[in-house]
Amino acid sequence: MCFSKNQAGDLQQQAYQYLVEGNYTQATTLYEEIIEVEPQVKSHYWYLGLVLLLQGQEAEAQTTWLFAMTEGEDQEIEQWTTELIQVLQTEAERRESLEDWAVAWAIRQHIREIIPIDIENLLHLIQLSIKINNYTGEELISFGVLELLQSEPPIEVNQEQLMRVLQDVLHDAPDHSQTLEFIEVCLPYVPDNQKFIDILLETAFRVASIQGNTALAAKITEFGLRLEPHHLELLPNVASFHQNAGNESRGIELAELYLSLVDNLAKK
């Protein structure tokens, strides 16, 4: 079978359209035919592997990708890996836009296998785990998120995305043993102190009122004081949480600090 360059391009577009439509059998056939004609074009292998992955043929997908990288030099393999990651990430984002959370999660798991320290992908995985109701809290450790966020020097991370993930984790599992550590490692990356404090307060009020866990509410809001020790909205609430949890000494300490900072009689 012989195609012109234009025909091969048309077939590639048709194959991708089949992928988008979920017609994986037809997409697989077309990508295999295109590879026969243009075996040197690596992107064909990336998409063929993706189609196999979407059909649940994970081993076959990985074999396809690895086969395309055999006999490559280190620099070539690095470039090809970047291209493959881009294909997988684009499809994961498309699935997320369709709210096809489970498939997006599966694709991002494969990205994690290829580049385990891609913090952006790991944060997406945390969010997707929450959306498909399989988040346990242990992912913060098993995915290496806590370790990466404690790196020295600090890693580059999308701070707004990190805050969204923190908000999701606090909403879904505020009382998990790793959640407090997650809040702590996020402190150096907080882009807006007030938004961060608002997230903590919203969580603390919910934990205190619904779960009756004022001790946890106090621990959560204490992180806000690490950034804004004289925050006039935070101080009386943290003091109240401590007081209700039976930690009177800390409650009194914070209440006295608040008293020293305000000059409004009603607030005093």
Side-chain angles (χ1 to χ4, degrees):
M1 187 179 298
C2 183
F3 304 129
S4 69
K5 183 174 292 188
N6 287 339
Q7 287 175 318
D10 291 341
L11 285 176
Q12 187 173 1
Q13 289 182 0
Q14 182 61 63
Y16 184 72
Q17 186 60 38
Y18 283 139
L19 184 159
V20 170
E21 294 171 354
N23 192 341
Y24 301 136
T25 301
Q26 287 285 70
T28 300
T29 300
L30 272 186
Y31 280 123
E32 288 175 344
E33 290 178 358
I34 298 169
I35 286 172
E36 287 183 16
V37 177
E38 296 182 329
Q40 76 284 359
V41 179
K42 299 301 180 181
S43 62
H44 300 331
Y45 296 90
W46 313 152
Y47 282 102
L48 175 58
L50 173 59
V51 175
L52 293 170
L53 176 63
L54 294 173
Q55 294 178 86
Q57 301 178 46
E58 297 185 14
E60 292 83 352
Q62 291 175 338
T63 299
T64 299
W65 296 327
L66 290 173
F67 174 77
M69 295 188 188
T70 55
E71 300 181 359
E73 300 293 333
D74 289 346
Q75 188 172 357
E76 291 176 314
I77 292 174
E78 183 177 350
Q79 177 186 341
W80 295 338
T81 300
T82 299
E83 293 172 0
L84 171 58
I85 291 296
Q86 184 59 56
V87 168
L88 295 177
Q89 185 171 308
T90 298
E91 181 62 14
E93 291 171 354
R94 188 178 76 85
R95 296 290 177 161
E96 288 163 1
S97 70
L98 297 172
E99 299 187 2
D100 194 351
W101 312 124
V103 172
W105 181 89
I107 294 171
R108 288 196 178 277
Q109 281 285 27
H110 280 273
I111 296 176
R112 182 169 78 93
E113 291 181 14
I114 299 169
I115 305 183
I117 60 171
D118 183 340
I119 186 64
E120 181 178 346
N121 183 62
L122 297 176
L123 292 175
H124 276 292
L125 269 174
I126 295 290
Q127 287 183 300
L128 290 167
S129 296
I130 292 172
K131 288 183 181 298
I132 62 177
N133 297 316
N134 72 352
Y135 178 75
T136 66
E138 295 301 326
E139 289 85 352
L140 293 169
I141 295 176
S142 62
F143 290 173
V145 172
L146 296 180
E147 183 178 356
L148 284 170
L149 291 174
Q150 294 177 85
S151 300
E152 289 294 342
I155 62 170
E156 291 187 13
V157 61
N158 184 319
Q159 296 171 314
E160 295 295 339
Q161 182 195 12
L162 180 60
M163 290 301 103
R164 288 193 296 270
V165 175
L166 175 62
Q167 189 168 18
D168 289 346
V169 167
L170 284 171
H171 186 273
D172 192 74
D175 53 354
H176 190 276
S177 58
Q178 305 304 329
T179 298
L180 292 178
E181 187 176 356
F182 185 41
I183 300 174
E184 183 163 18
V185 299
C186 285
L187 289 175
Y189 303 94
V190 172
D192 184 320
N193 286 1
Q194 185 57 53
K195 286 184 179 179
F196 177 73
I197 289 170
D198 287 343
I199 292 171
L200 298 185
L201 278 173
E202 187 276 331
T203 303
F205 286 133
R206 189 177 67 254
V207 166
S209 61
I210 297 177
Q211 300 181 12
N213 194 341
T214 51
L216 178 59
K219 290 178 181 178
I220 290 172
T221 47
E222 280 280 3
F223 288 107
L225 293 178
R226 297 262 289 271
L227 294 180
E228 298 276 356
H230 293 169
H231 194 282
L232 295 182
E233 179 186 5
L234 197 54
L235 277 170
N237 283 299
V238 186
S240 177
F241 290 139
H242 276 296
Q243 186 74 19
N244 292 336
N247 186 4
E248 290 86 359
S249 60
R250 179 60 174 162
I252 292 171
E253 176 188 353
L254 294 175
E256 288 179 339
L257 174 59
Y258 177 73
L259 184 62
S260 71
L261 294 171
V262 296
D263 54 12
N264 179 286
L265 182 59
K267 289 183 178 180
K268 284 180 179 292

